[in-house]
Every structure is written in structure tokens, then in C-alpha cells.
Amino acid sequence: MARPNPELIDALRRTARKLSEGAPYQWGHMGGCNCGNLAQELTKLTKDQIHAYAMQRYGDWNEQVQDYCPTSRMPIDLVISEMVNAGLSLEDLKNLEKLSNKQVLARFPLEKRFLRHNQRNDVVTYLRAWADMLEEQLLETIELPDLSTNTTKKHPQYA
């Protein structure tokens, strides 16, 4: 599961916002799909650059992640490495492409859990829920000082 951190949470939210505002989305395009749009935010590469890097090897994001080698120096592996360094796991990338992370989906009412992986609005919904979940996990780790006793305690909402 992703390592909650402010930069990743912000990237997820920026990706969702841009998609909801009409950023290019094409599920069959390696730079304009679910992972491709998030990769744009995390790497600052364009969708066309990401797509060109991916086309140097075969397959969709799932296959690219399966064949990922952090030392290969293949351009798509460098993109994936940046995403992993931002806090994502390889499994997160597979789940994002198919909108299939069970923890994220469990946040929705049962009748809303059947997201379509190639539909812009469903991707936006998934990204927002994932960002919210990671933010909650991050907040659980933050300890606030108790200024009255000069000790540290968990935020009351998460204690």
C-alpha cells in the first residue's frame, strides 16, 4: 500500500482536479490513462513523453509494472521509479489502472463500488477517495504536543 505523505496526497488530488476539469484522458494511451495522468503529476513529464517511453517496451501499465526493473535505465522504468519514490507501491499502480484497491473501494457504499476503470468520472472518484484515505492514515501518525503538560499526544480525533 502507498506510503502516506503530503506530496503524494497532493499529487492524487491535483490529478483528480485536472481530470475533473477536462485534462486529456484516454484509457488506452499510456500517458493519458489512470496511471499516466498521475505519472504526469509526479514526474512533470508530458503525456506524450510518458507514452513514448512506455512504447519502448510492450504492454499496458500492468505489464510494464510486472516487468519493472529499478536498475534497467529503461525510460518507463525511470518513470515507475519516480512514482515508487513518491510513495506508491507497484501494486498501487496495478490497482490504479483497474481502480481495484479493496481498501479504497470499501470507502464507497456497496452499490457504488463497481467503478469502471476507463471512465473519467470513476477515476476522479477513486483518486479523491484514495487521497482522503491516505490523508487519514497520515494524520493518525501525527503527534501533537500537549502544551499544558509539555508532553506529546495523539490528535484527539485519531486517539
Side-chain angles (χ1 to χ4, degrees):
M1 179 49 119
R3 188 180 70 253
N5 65 77
E7 295 79 17
L8 177 57
I9 294 164
D10 186 50
L12 291 167
R13 290 204 170 114
R14 283 193 321 268
T15 304
R17 185 181 68 249
K18 286 180 178 182
L19 285 170
S20 71
E21 292 172 353
Y25 179 76
Q26 182 182 355
W27 192 77
H29 187 283
M30 293 292 291
C33 59
N34 307 353
C35 286
N37 272 283
L38 181 57
Q40 289 176 52
E41 288 302 310
L42 292 172
T43 66
K44 305 306 177 206
L45 296 169
T46 68
K47 70 180 184 70
D48 291 332
Q49 288 172 310
I50 295 165
H51 186 77
Y53 292 165
M55 293 298 100
Q56 293 178 23
R57 196 163 58 203
Y58 65 92
D60 62 12
W61 272 95
N62 194 52
E63 292 165 313
Q64 298 281 0
V65 167
Q66 183 135 350
D67 293 340
Y68 166 70
C69 175
T71 60
S72 79
R73 309 301 293 166
M74 288 281 297
I76 192 62
D77 286 342
L78 297 174
V79 171
I80 294 170
S81 287
E82 280 193 58
M83 297 176 83
V84 168
N85 290 339
L88 295 169
S89 70
L90 297 178
E91 195 65 28
D92 290 325
L93 296 176
K94 292 178 184 180
N95 287 334
L96 173 56
E97 201 56 20
K98 297 292 187 178
L99 305 182
S100 60
N101 181 300
K102 289 180 182 8
Q103 288 179 294
V104 175
L105 295 173
R107 300 176 69 80
F108 301 113
L110 190 56
E111 67 276 6
K112 302 267 187 185
R113 290 184 190 171
F114 301 100
L115 301 177
R116 293 158 298 168
H117 65 272
N118 59 352
Q119 296 296 312
R120 174 191 302 267
N121 291 338
D122 286 355
V123 177
V124 169
T125 299
Y126 183 93
L127 288 168
R128 287 178 174 157
W130 191 14
D132 289 346
M133 183 181 80
L134 291 176
E135 182 177 61
E136 290 165 11
Q137 291 172 356
L138 180 63
L139 288 173
E140 288 174 3
T141 68
I142 296 174
E143 294 186 5
L144 300 173
D146 181 351
L147 300 177
S148 65
T149 64
N150 207 18
T151 61
T152 303
K153 64 179 180 178
K154 291 259 186 206
H155 187 282
Q157 180 179 352
Y158 302 103

